[in-house]
Amino acid sequence: MPNPFRKHSPRRRDSRRSKNWTIHMPGLSACKNCGANHEPHRVCPQCGFYGGKLIVAAKVKKAKKGPEEGKEGEGK
Ligand SMILES: [Zn+2]
């Protein structure tokens, strides 16, 4: 059964392990619409634009419906 010819030195071992633990930052690119930083080839999380087109509409908080507004909706 083949065996490793030589034991790897602690330096070589630790160097290998250090590579696995480095944290890679994703490359950021500026949005053409709003200028915010976002991941390339992804929809901009700020404005929802990709490739100059609106892909995801921005979420708008809905105002809480009062009792009067609810009655208006039923009449229609
Ligand atoms: Zn944007």
Side-chain angles (χ1 to χ4, degrees):
M1 198 174 158
N3 276 324
F5 182 68
R6 188 164 302 173
K7 177 182 178 178
H8 286 177
S9 66
R11 177 179 176 175
R12 184 170 171 176
R13 177 202 64 202
D14 295 342
S15 176
R16 181 187 69 233
R17 291 181 184 174
S18 71
K19 299 293 181 187
N20 287 333
W21 287 99
T22 52
I23 299 172
H24 297 284
M25 275 286 291
L28 295 175
S29 59
C31 175
K32 291 180 181 177
N33 185 49
C34 67
N37 288 331
H38 66 94
E39 287 185 69
H41 307 287
R42 297 287 190 278
V43 174
C44 175
Q46 299 296 324
C47 62
F49 269 68
Y50 181 78
K53 296 177 183 176
L54 180 64
I55 306 297
V56 180
K59 291 182 178 178
V60 180
K61 286 187 177 180
K62 292 181 179 179
K64 289 185 178 179
K65 285 187 177 180
E68 296 175 2
E69 294 180 15
K71 290 177 182 176
E72 290 176 3
E74 291 173 4
K76 288 182 182 177

